[in-house]
Amino acid sequence: MSIQLWLDQIPTGQYNHPLLTLTNDPNSDLVTSRWTHPDDDKENVKLHEDKLDQQPVIPTEKRRLSALMASPHEEVDLTPRPKKKRRQEPDDIDPPEHFSPMPAPSEDAASEDVESHHSGRLSPTKQLAFLEDSSKPVIYCDFASTLAEMPEDVHTLCNDVQELADGVGVIGFKPDELANITDLDYGGLDHRDRKRFRYPWANDPTQRLKTGKMVSLVEVQEIVASAISFEEKRAHETEWNEDIHRAVIKLALTASNHATSLAIANVKTVSIDPPEFADQKLPKRVVDYAIVLRPNQAIENAWEKLQPIGNAGVKSWNHTTSNNVRSKPITISIETKAPNKSWTDGKAQIAIWTAALHKRLSMLQQPGQASLHIPAMPLLIVQGHDWYLFVVSQQQPSLSEKKKKKLTTVIWQKIDIGNTRNCFDAYKLLSVLHLVMDWAYRVWRPWFLELVGWMGDD
């Protein structure tokens, strides 16, 4: 039978498809077919729509047949269409959630900052403010500041460092070595380094070699090339710490005149312990590296008499009970950062660390002694290429001020001591590291031996 003949038979009811039955019964379970226009009988149209909604999914061929039989007055669209959604009137639409009025601040919300304060999640700026307001204040001062009086040992150390930071006597090559390095045919230096190496005040072998040997130019060039590569590829902080910052410290220590008396300690995972050395509101894990004293016989004798620290139950010269540093007195603390890390964060971290160390040192003095005077203490903060020196001192109130003023730890800031962007500035950095390592041996070590010497006495 042709399709045209089949279509012609549909209105007269002369043909019944084996799968479909035409009926005018609205209660029938079969597809309803009415031959009147929908507007002529709204009630039946409604029944027709409801019944269609209840029908099970019909195979494609049946849907096509049903569509053909829908009504002679309607255009037949054989493509399935999703059901249209009823348009919502304005009164039916709920207002969006983000337009809801904000609730009034609750007591919990008001105390959120206090909770953060007590949980150790203070911002670096608030950590610094908290240290300034503590019972034993820690403050940062610029060298020209009038907030604190600079002790003589701080003044001496800073002057010596500043001279090297200005490039005076930072290299110690023999004349023929220097001539070869600065020769135009020598490809090891860029034009800036070649010019700066020729400065008459830069090369002073006699003065330079007092604190350490010259590191070879090849080793310095390798460090500089790696650091430049790290910045270009935006290397992670861990890579900077291990492959650049620690490498520079190790290079300096190996060439130092005191390499057998000092050591590098990795304190990245070390926490202040017991926690009482730092306020509970402050972080306990703070710096990355330390230069420590290798114990001599006097320190080992004192160690035998040293008592365990409070609740920690173990001995330590320092403000931590970590095994890699507890028997080795810390002399220089170093905080390292990648180039894009917060500078303020580093200042807060090293201040917390230093305050806790000072608290521990004050517990080591012989009972009955006068208040402890801690000598100037170098601190280093590194940010990517750039290295900075800070110096810590204590400001004792005079006898007339003791009732009004507190013992204050002052961190003097800061001297740009060099970087790893070029060889000349890298040599400046190495010369300063040799200077502070020399200070650790000549100044800090004798002071510490005197501090704990009473423990070794029989």
Side-chain angles (χ1 to χ4, degrees), residues 271-280 282-284 311-312 319 356 359:
S271 295
I272 294 173
D273 183 43
E276 294 76 22
F277 285 143
D279 194 281
Q280 62 176 346
L282 298 173
K284 304 297 184 291
N311 295 330
H319 52 312
K359 188 177 292 187

Side-chain angles (χ1 to χ4, degrees), residues 128 131-132 136-145 147-151 154 158 287 333 343 346-356 358 376-381 388-395 408-415:
L128 290 172
L131 287 167
E132 290 176 5
K136 293 184 177 180
V138 181
I139 62 173
Y140 275 87
C141 285
D142 290 317
F143 291 118
S145 174
L147 289 177
E149 184 177 347
M150 183 181 291
V154 175
C158 289
V287 300
S333 300
W343 170 255
K347 289 177 64 175
Q349 287 175 270
I350 210 159
I352 295 165
W353 178 263
T354 303
H358 276 199
M377 194 174 186
L379 303 173
L380 298 171
I381 298 182
Y388 301 92
L389 178 93
F390 297 72
V391 182
V392 183
S393 69
Q394 283 191 326
Q395 180 164 306
T408 302
T409 298
V410 182
I411 302 179
W412 299 93
Q413 62 177 1
K414 62 183 174 172
I415 301 176

Side-chain angles (χ1 to χ4, degrees), residues 7-260:
L7 290 174
D8 291 341
Q9 290 177 339
I10 289 175
T12 64
Q14 294 176 6
Y15 174 77
N16 289 329
H17 190 277
L19 297 178
L20 297 172
T21 303
L22 300 178
T23 175
N24 288 327
D25 182 1
N27 296 320
S28 170
D29 289 335
L30 300 174
V31 177
T32 303
S33 176
R34 297 187 59 82
W35 306 119
T36 58
H37 193 276
D39 291 338
D40 296 338
D41 191 345
K42 292 184 180 179
E43 181 179 351
N44 283 330
V45 169
K46 182 64 170 66
L47 289 171
H48 172 73
E49 292 174 349
D50 292 344
K51 187 62 70 174
L52 283 175
D53 289 344
Q54 297 171 13
Q55 290 298 316
V57 177
I58 302 174
T60 304
E61 185 63 27
K62 291 185 179 181
R63 288 203 306 271
R64 293 168 61 86
L65 293 173
S66 298
L68 288 170
M69 300 171 64
S71 170
H73 303 287
E74 295 176 0
E75 238 180 71
V76 176
D77 186 357
L78 298 181
T79 304
R81 293 284 187 266
K83 199 174 171 185
K84 289 186 178 180
K85 293 183 179 179
R86 182 177 67 88
R87 187 178 66 181
Q88 288 180 307
E89 297 298 328
D91 292 342
D92 296 334
I93 301 175
D94 294 328
E97 283 188 17
H98 61 274
F99 288 125
S100 302
M102 294 294 290
S106 64
E107 290 186 9
D108 291 340
S111 64
E112 183 179 352
D113 185 60
V114 176
E115 288 299 315
S116 176
H117 186 78
H118 284 285
S119 66
R121 289 175 295 168
L122 285 169
S123 69
T125 302
K126 287 186 178 179
Q127 289 172 17
L128 290 172
F130 181 81
L131 287 167
E132 290 176 5
D133 298 338
S134 66
S135 58
K136 293 184 177 180
V138 181
I139 62 173
Y140 275 87
C141 285
D142 290 317
F143 291 118
S145 174
T146 58
L147 289 177
E149 184 177 347
M150 183 181 291
E152 186 61 31
D153 56 353
V154 175
H155 188 270
T156 301
L157 179 60
C158 289
N159 279 352
D160 291 344
V161 169
Q162 188 64 65
E163 191 170 78
L164 294 174
D166 289 339
V168 179
V170 295
I171 53 177
F173 293 111
K174 296 176 181 179
D176 56 336
E177 291 177 324
L178 186 62
N180 181 52
I181 289 171
T182 57
D183 191 279
L184 291 177
D185 294 331
Y186 182 80
L189 295 177
D190 66 24
H191 66 282
R192 296 173 305 149
D193 278 339
R194 188 175 288 111
K195 180 179 180 180
R196 296 166 83 189
F197 272 48
R198 291 183 183 136
Y199 289 157
W201 59 83
N203 193 50
D204 186 347
T206 303
Q207 185 66 27
R208 176 66 185 84
L209 299 179
K210 286 183 178 180
T211 56
K213 299 184 291 290
M214 280 296 294
V215 176
S216 74
L217 182 58
V218 172
E219 291 176 296
V220 172
Q221 287 174 317
E222 288 176 357
I223 291 284
V224 169
S226 296
I228 291 172
S229 172
F230 276 25
E231 184 165 48
E232 289 173 349
K233 72 176 186 178
R234 293 188 288 276
H236 190 271
E237 183 171 320
T238 303
E239 295 179 270
W240 276 98
N241 287 352
E242 291 296 327
D243 298 338
I244 303 299
H245 303 146
R246 189 180 187 282
V248 169
I249 300 167
K250 185 177 179 180
L251 205 59
L253 182 59
T254 302
S256 168
N257 290 344
H258 311 295
T260 58

